[in-house]
Amino acid sequence: MVIDTTAFNPDEWTVNMGSIKLDDCHFRFVNKEGKPYPNEFDPEYIEVSRLNAEILDLRIVGDTLRARMEHFSALERSGFEVKQMQSIVSVSPRASICRDLLLQTNNSTLGNYYAMHYERFPDFTDYIRKVRMDARLVNAKIDPKDIAYFAPQLRQLPVGICKVSGKGGGTVDALFAQNLDITDGYSTVKGDLRITGLPDVDVSIFDFQNGEIFTTGNSVLRYAPMLKDNPNINLQAVDYAYFKGSFTGLLSDFAAKGTLTTNLGNIAADMKMKLPETAQPTYSGVFKSEGFDAGRFLNQPSLGKTTFDAELEGA
């Protein structure tokens, strides 16, 4: 299929419309043979039903469409649903911008600014690499299951609904966030984050700087369940943990540097850790502490509280 990239409105017509209303419309775009991807968005097989919209003060000036989206709702074939959208909208051949945004999807609520920048409209056929996003979130509620319609690998993450504030952007495969504040109800993460390699979580590089993490041992086990039955480590003894520092690497193979404050004592660490799926987790690095209760943490009562300044390696 050849995509038309002719400039929009080259004769610079001016169009003004007081309102447009759409009720229970249907839209279908198919550019492939065979069935669409099940339970996920397929850009080559788009089918939207139950599309309702109320658009006010629509104007076309030059190459830009501007309007106030009073209401928009729709259901995509994949199962992804926009329950409600309100925004001041502008669409041009280079950018689509939503100001004063309220967006409610299957389980998420977002606001208040979102923009997509591109060189030309056909870039949407390669959204992951070519469309640059700009978002400013204020107390947004995000369910990763909603994002997984577009990046199904995220279904692997054991994360529930999160509350998020901060600003960020980039392409899906090169995201960044600044002044991030995110909590899943069990742990809280603050800092600046870059993720390179999405939507494949397993090979994505996470670079977390100026970071703060508030969590507990039981919360850590939600993300590393392989440690739960390990007799040599007692994460459930950690009633609270506060980490301040940095984190770089894969979720399963990373380096971390900073200070960890817990109810068992404090540790300063510059470490590397590997969490393979089918083998024992391993660690290495330099660790310093005064009076850390290693006996409780390592299930070795004879150790008791320990003071150390050591280079350690183990599993």
Side-chain angles (χ1 to χ4, degrees):
M1 182 183 72
V2 178
I3 299 176
D4 186 1
T5 58
T6 304
F8 175 71
N9 195 20
D11 296 327
E12 297 189 358
W13 287 22
T14 299
V15 177
N16 294 285
M17 301 182 69
S19 66
I20 298 176
K21 191 170 184 179
L22 304 176
D23 290 317
D24 200 21
C25 297
H26 191 99
F27 170 80
R28 191 167 186 258
F29 168 79
V30 178
N31 188 40
K32 66 184 293 184
E33 296 181 1
K35 297 181 179 180
Y37 304 141
N39 303 316
E40 66 179 85
F41 180 76
D42 186 341
E44 299 297 311
Y45 201 117
I46 301 172
E47 188 165 3
V48 180
S49 61
R50 291 161 35 187
L51 193 157
N52 298 278
E54 185 175 1
I55 304 168
L56 305 179
D57 303 326
L58 186 146
R59 294 175 293 128
I60 299 176
V61 179
D63 65 356
T64 302
L65 180 152
R66 303 180 190 278
R68 178 159 61 93
M69 183 71 71
E70 188 70 13
H71 171 75
F72 178 87
S73 60
L75 176 65
E76 211 279 322
R77 171 209 55 81
S78 61
F80 180 78
E81 182 178 8
V82 176
K83 295 181 177 180
Q84 167 70 311
M85 176 181 169
Q86 295 176 331
S87 181
I88 305 299
V89 178
S90 65
V91 180
S92 77
R94 290 297 184 90
S96 297
I97 302 172
C98 296
R99 296 178 175 86
D100 298 329
L101 171 66
L102 170 64
L103 176 63
Q104 296 176 326
T105 63
N106 302 57
N107 302 294
S108 305
T109 302
L110 289 82
N112 60 355
Y113 178 91
Y114 180 69
M116 296 176 290
H117 301 271
Y118 36 86
E119 295 299 322
R120 57 196 189 114
F121 281 121
D123 286 350
F124 280 92
T125 62
D126 191 3
Y127 189 94
I128 288 174
R129 296 185 301 168
K130 292 185 177 181
V131 177
R132 291 173 290 107
M133 300 171 287
D134 180 10
R136 300 164 202 168
L137 302 177
V138 179
N139 295 323
K141 185 179 75 172
I142 300 176
D143 189 338
K145 291 194 292 292
D146 292 354
I147 303 174
Y149 285 108
F150 304 91
Q153 292 88 344
L154 295 182
R155 292 193 176 104
Q156 301 172 22
L157 291 180
V159 185
I161 294 175
C162 298
K163 292 183 178 180
V164 183
S165 294
K167 62 179 181 179
T171 55
V172 172
D173 64 348
L175 283 174
F176 72 89
Q178 296 175 313
N179 301 319
L180 185 68
D181 187 337
I182 178 171
T183 178
D184 63 357
Y186 301 93
S187 303
T188 298
V189 176
K190 298 181 179 181
D192 301 326
L193 176 66
R194 289 185 176 273
I195 309 176
T196 305
L198 289 175
D200 192 338
V201 174
D202 292 334
V203 300
S204 294
I205 302 296
F206 292 76
D207 184 12
F208 180 52
Q209 301 295 326
N210 304 314
E212 296 179 86
I213 300 176
F214 304 83
T215 190
T216 66
N218 284 326
S219 299
V220 172
L221 290 173
R222 297 180 73 239
Y223 296 92
M226 72 288 291
L227 298 177
K228 188 171 185 178
D229 297 324
N230 189 321
N232 301 314
I233 188 170
N234 183 13
L235 278 170
Q236 292 175 317
V238 181
D239 296 329
Y240 68 87
Y242 168 60
F243 173 78
K244 186 172 184 178
S246 62
F247 172 107
T248 305
L250 304 170
L251 291 178
S252 60
D253 185 354
F254 60 85
K257 183 177 182 180
T259 301
L260 180 67
T261 302
T262 78
N263 59 295
L264 301 180
N266 306 333
I267 298 176
D270 186 352
M271 63 172 290
K272 294 181 179 179
M273 191 162 190
K274 296 184 178 182
L275 302 169
E277 289 188 9
T278 58
Q280 200 172 42
T282 61
Y283 62 87
S284 63
V286 177
F287 302 83
K288 299 180 182 180
S289 179
E290 293 185 8
F292 181 76
D293 196 343
R296 281 187 68 193
F297 186 67
L298 299 176
N299 285 325
Q300 298 290 334
S302 59
L303 280 177
K305 294 184 178 181
T306 60
T307 296
F308 53 85
D309 182 350
E311 184 173 339
L312 302 175
E313 183 174 342

